[in-house]
Amino acid sequence: MQGVRTFAPGRIELLGNHTDYNEGYVLSMAIDLGITADAKVRSDRNLLLHSEQSDDGALIPLDAELSPTKTWADYPLGVLKELLKKGVKLGGCDISFSSNLPLGTGLSSSAALEVSTALAFLGLFGEKLDKLEIAKLCRAAENNFVGVGCGLLDQVSSLFGAANHAIFLDCRSEEVEQIAMPPDYRWLVIPCAVKHELTGGEYNERREQCYEAAKRLGVPALRDANMAMLGGDIGMSDVVRRRAMHIVGENQRVQAAIPYLRKGDMKDFGALMYASHESSRTNFENSIPELDQLVDIARKTPGVLGARLTGGGFGGAILCLVDEAAAEAAGHAIAGKYRDQTAHSTTPIVCQSGAGAQILD
Ligand code: GLA
């Protein structure tokens, strides 16, 4: 094939915060915004990367020793490196990216970039990998090349998304289930409009604290812990204990949420979202004051059933569950109050669920 176009969506994390690298449970949804990659074969063994959103293109000899550039190009380069490591036969190509996914808002533009790249290489050079293998390869790219020790949530959500469905991922068995979303509700994303890049620091620190908690509890992963284990003098610092409480609580909330989702009991689902945010604020400390303020405003806004930070945290956006009929007005009202209180302007996004990543033509 001489040319392919691929699309990989962003995602929203509905519940299950930082549970993925703790072998836990997570509920997410692919959205209809994402990254498109246009790729064509070159006659030499170079890779030319170009993005609509950045002036600098990068020309990389395929056979050179690849090292990180600390730019957006590291996501596709990391994928290239993992594909080569796997022995996938690749040739030179040009890949040009365009995006309608807002960057830095916790909608996982990084996974969309990785997945659209992987599908472009595989499509161009006629190689086949199943979706879970692609997701794991993209996660490895981010872990090994970009240096963020993320779990599988973002890549799985991008690849396994389906219109009108949430995605339930069991990060231990790596089973993925698509669960029909009740109609009449919408997911509203409201960026806090405060820049805070997730380049690894706080995220990786949280990950280490979770691993320390599991080790001290003598369990393989925090998936195996429960609240009863976290009481009394258990030989860990208060900070590490609170990190563990967040993960245990999030796993419980995802499990409680699934029957609510199936029954369409979204009021109770929304209550779990508020509880999740509160735990982020007090236990995991991956919220920031602006996100807390947005959740407070959302809670008082008609039509909102639940709100929480979505994704890694330390900035990004909140996610609100809203009655469909109130979605636009609620977004408008929350953004207006937030601007009055903080002077930050934000543009709410009413998310539509979308199909998973694919080769378009
Ligand atoms: C980021 C990571 C994911 C996941 C979330 C938090 O989006 O990339 O792997 O850990 O944060 O749930």
Side-chain angles (χ1 to χ4, degrees), residues 11 13 16-21 142 150-154 198 203 311-312:
R11 62 96 189 92
E13 174 199 281
N17 188 242
H18 287 254
T19 49
D20 58 354
Y21 56 81
E142 194 155 338
C150 63
L152 260 186
L153 160 68
D154 305 339
L198 190 67
Y203 186 95

Side-chain angles (χ1 to χ4, degrees), residues 114-195:
E114 293 152 14
V115 172
S116 60
T117 303
L119 291 183
F121 275 124
L122 294 169
L124 271 187
F125 298 104
E127 295 275 350
K128 287 230 170 334
L129 293 179
D130 69 35
K131 285 197 226 177
L132 191 59
E133 276 180 291
I134 300 173
K136 287 182 176 179
L137 185 137
C138 290
R139 174 188 57 180
E142 194 155 338
N143 291 171
N144 301 334
F145 202 74
V146 180
V148 177
C150 63
L152 260 186
L153 160 68
D154 305 339
Q155 295 80 6
V156 159
S157 309
S158 185
L159 280 150
F160 287 85
N164 304 318
H165 283 75
I167 301 154
F168 170 55
L169 168 65
D170 177 334
C171 300
R172 174 164 282 166
S173 67
E174 295 173 344
E175 275 166 54
V176 181
E177 189 188 346
Q178 292 164 340
I179 302 179
M181 197 78 89
D184 308 331
Y185 299 96
R186 284 284 171 270
W187 300 98
L188 182 63
V189 167
I190 308 184
C192 70
V194 178
K195 269 261 162 294

Side-chain angles (χ1 to χ4, degrees), residues 245-319:
M245 285 174 71
H246 180 66
I247 304 305
V248 171
E250 284 296 282
N251 279 330
Q252 288 174 345
R253 282 184 277 276
V254 172
Q255 285 176 296
I258 289 172
Y260 294 152
L261 196 58
R262 294 197 202 279
K263 281 186 292 184
D265 180 356
M266 299 311 271
K267 194 163 179 292
D268 284 328
F269 192 107
L272 292 171
M273 293 175 70
Y274 287 128
S276 166
H277 187 81
E278 189 54 17
S279 175
S280 272
R281 190 178 73 78
T282 57
N283 289 328
F284 214 62
E285 295 176 287
N286 61 333
S287 186
I288 59 170
E290 289 83 356
L291 292 174
D292 299 339
Q293 207 158 353
L294 277 171
V295 168
D296 282 346
I297 298 171
R299 196 189 280 275
K300 295 174 196 137
T301 303
V304 177
L305 287 88
R308 62 183 290 268
L309 70 78
T310 183
F314 311 107
I318 66 157
L319 173 70

Side-chain angles (χ1 to χ4, degrees), residues 70 75 142 146-149 196-204 313-314:
K70 303 282 168 217
Y75 296 96
E142 194 155 338
V146 180
V148 177
H196 193 122
E197 303 260 316
L198 190 67
T199 46
E202 297 97 335
Y203 186 95
N204 289 347
F314 311 107

